[in-house]
Each structure stands twice: as C-alpha cells, then as structure tokens.
Amino acid sequence: MVKLTKLIDNATLVTPGEKSLLSKRATTADDILTDRDAAEEAAKDNAKAIDALQDALWAEGTRSLLVILQGIDTSGKDGTVRAVFNHCGPLGVQVTPFGRPSEEELAHDFLWRIHMAAPKKGVIGVFNRSQYEDVLVVKVRGLAPADAVERRYEQINAFEQHLTDNGTTVLKFMLNISKGEQAERLQARLDEPEKNWKFNPSDLEDRKLWDDYQRAYEIALDRCSTAHAPWRVVPSDRKWQRNAIIAATVRKTLEDMAPQYPKPDWKPSDFKIT
Ligand code: ATP
C-alpha cells in the first residue's frame, strides 16, 4: 500500500517550482498498474476506507478536504466522482459542478462562486471543474482581458493558501487523456444510444482548440502547483487506472490528516437508558 502510493506520487505530482512538462506525461499508467482486477478491487476498498475516514472527519468537525477535478471534455470527471465517492453518504460529500458563470456570478470576482462552494468543516467537497476554468476556457476563448487572466494564477495560489491556512486540505487532479482517446469517447457518444445525451456539438469546437487547451493547462500546472496545493496529473486513458490512482491518493491524504473522533467529557457508564 505504502509502496504503491509512493509510486503514484512519483508518477503524478507536479513538483512545485518545476515545469509540469504536460506534453511528455503518459496518459496511461501501465508501468505502475498492470493487474486490472486487483486495481479495481483496491479502488473499491479505498472507496470504503474514504467513507470511514469521512465519518471521522465529520465527527471531528474542525477540518475539511477539497478535491478539485479538472480535465478536458470526456476526461472522466463525473466517472471519477462515481467511482471514488460512491460509498460516502450524501451528507458528508458535497459535489459542485462549475459550468458557464451566470450573470450574477459574472457580476462578482471570479472566485466568488468558488469560495461559496468551498466545503465547510467536516465535509469533503468535490469540484467538477473549478477556479481553473478562469485560466483555461477563459484564456483559450479570450473571455476576459489577457492581463486579468495573467493576474489570476497568483490570485488562485493566494486563495488556496487561504483555504489551507483555515483548515481545508486542497487536492488537485488533472485528468490527462490523449487526443485519440477523446476521439473514441466522443465517437461512443454518437454510436451508443444511451450515451447520446452526453454529446454536445460544442465539444467538437473545443476539440479543434486541443493544442491551445493543452498549453493553457500546462501554464496552470506550472504556475499553480504549490507546496500547499500541488497539482497531480493523472494518466486517464484507462478508467480503472484513473480510479485506482485517485482513490488511493484521496485515502492516503485523509489518513495523513488523521481525523479523530472527539472524546466525550463524560463516561458512558454514568448514564443509564431506561
Ligand atoms: P462537463 O463536461 O464538465 O461534464 P457539461 O459539458 O455537461 O459538463 P456544464 O457542466 O453545463 O457542461 O458546463 C461545462 C462548461 O462550462 C464547459 O464548457 C466549461 O468550459 C464551461 N465553463 C466552466 N467555467 C467557466 C468559466 N468560468 N467561464 C466560462 N466557461 C466556463
């Protein structure tokens, strides 16, 4: 267990201050995960362990965990939520998807809606997309002035430092798929009737901008992988590898946080239920 999480860290972490070299990173993890059955079993065990740890986090009531999922269309953000947090009760995990900002959201600074969704003490928050859209789609499509986007990297770092200083551990995963894998997943959305609903013609427009998105991701990874909130790039062409890596990392993070059930200042034997 310890050994595998170390291998996973080595394969995924973007060392703060160093280049992420996104284009050179593998989109499969065949060097560290070879046995699919075993990896699926481990992911299930880890999902159960995450539930137990979440229970203690809630009982302790002093800290929270924020899991950020970023990735290009079809990279598997929804599937990850389903696989990693499927044992957790709905009370302990709060999933927030970030789509195009509303008029109200656009009338505020870009972090306003993000901060409002940050998990309260005792809760695991999961962001499906996040503040990083404001330096990804916004940069690629020129939705804000370039100098405003430029300032956002430091603003995001300061925001994440603020969360960390106030008891929220921040885990950031970039789900890294290849362009070929995206083509297959988009094609499946056209070919399989039960997946048709997932197809959005605008995904094809974004696909044309693949290189621009990769570059924008690379800059965000380079500039926002910090000691307090490092990025992890997860090889995600194989869903079972992606789930195994993320479940193991979330579990390890919660184990390191070591949430404790509070000790009552009374003795159970002092009470009698009649
Ligand atoms: P997903 O692909 O995340 O599973 P989806 O395709 O069903 O979701 P929505 O969740 O409705 O769509 O919205 C996602 C879209 O919103 C993406 O195209 C994303 O780039 C866009 N988006 C998210 N944040 C912003 C932002 N700050 N500014 C502009 N567009 C944004």
Side-chain angles (χ1 to χ4, degrees):
M1 178 73 190
V2 171
K3 199 157 165 258
L4 182 61
T5 50
K6 190 86 203 117
L7 288 174
I8 288 175
D9 264 0
N10 289 345
T12 61
L13 263 180
V14 176
T15 308
E18 290 182 14
K19 296 276 178 217
S20 60
L21 303 173
L22 179 60
S23 58
K24 299 207 164 56
R25 286 183 179 249
T27 54
T28 59
D30 294 344
D31 46 344
I32 53 172
L33 290 168
T34 45
D35 183 336
R36 179 173 178 161
D37 290 342
E40 285 178 343
E41 227 18 73
K44 275 190 206 145
D45 280 354
N46 286 336
K48 282 187 204 149
I50 290 167
D51 177 43
L53 286 155
Q54 196 286 317
D55 193 63
L57 190 72
W58 176 257
E60 183 192 78
T62 60
R63 294 173 295 163
S64 51
L65 173 67
L66 171 60
V67 177
I68 292 179
L69 301 176
Q70 274 294 155
I72 208 123
D73 293 318
T74 76
S75 59
K77 300 178 292 296
D78 290 335
T80 300
V81 175
R82 223 173 292 126
V84 176
F85 299 101
N86 61 355
H87 278 276
C88 294
L91 292 176
V93 175
Q94 178 190 317
V95 182
T96 310
F98 289 99
R100 281 171 200 81
S102 66
E103 238 176 86
E104 177 72 0
E105 287 167 346
L106 283 172
H108 291 82
D109 76 273
F110 77 102
L111 289 172
W112 180 73
R113 65 174 183 162
I114 306 292
H115 204 169
M116 297 252 283
K120 64 182 180 185
K121 293 176 171 63
V123 169
I124 299 178
V126 183
F127 285 178
N128 181 339
R129 302 183 187 271
S130 66
Q131 60 270 27
Y132 286 95
E133 290 296 320
D134 291 279
V135 291
L136 294 167
V137 62
V138 171
K139 182 182 177 76
V140 169
R141 293 200 169 271
L143 303 178
D147 59 330
V149 174
E150 187 56 30
R151 287 194 296 272
R152 288 182 178 173
Y153 300 98
E154 274 313 311
Q155 290 166 349
I156 289 173
N157 289 343
F159 170 67
E160 291 173 358
Q161 179 79 66
H162 171 80
L163 290 183
T164 308
D165 290 348
N166 285 280
T168 300
T169 297
V170 181
L171 258 183
K172 305 188 293 202
F173 297 105
M174 187 260 177
L175 311 189
N176 190 24
I177 58 168
S178 62
K179 198 173 179 188
E181 179 65 21
Q182 190 195 45
E184 281 182 29
R185 293 185 188 183
L186 286 171
Q187 192 62 48
R189 291 179 178 188
L190 292 174
D191 295 345
E192 297 171 34
E194 67 281 9
K195 287 191 178 165
N196 286 166
W197 66 274
K198 289 195 201 171
F199 182 75
N200 184 343
S202 79
D203 293 349
L204 300 184
E205 293 307 310
D206 274 341
R207 183 169 165 79
K208 286 187 196 141
L209 298 170
W210 177 274
D211 290 343
D212 295 339
Y213 272 105
Q214 290 298 111
R215 182 75 198 118
Y217 264 105
E218 189 156 36
I219 296 170
L221 295 167
D222 289 354
R223 296 183 61 176
C224 297
S225 198
T226 54
H228 57 275
W231 268 108
R232 289 173 164 83
V233 179
V234 180
S236 297
D237 275 0
R238 304 196 207 294
K239 294 172 186 175
W240 59 272
Q241 290 179 339
R242 174 201 74 204
N243 294 342
I245 289 171
I246 296 180
T249 309
V250 172
R251 176 185 182 165
K252 170 80 167 54
T253 302
L254 283 164
E255 283 176 348
D256 288 348
M257 288 170 76
Q260 303 295 314
Y261 286 99
K263 295 224 172 7
D265 53 4
W266 41 266
K267 283 200 277 205
S269 57
D270 291 345
F271 295 90
K272 193 170 165 64
I273 313 285
T274 54

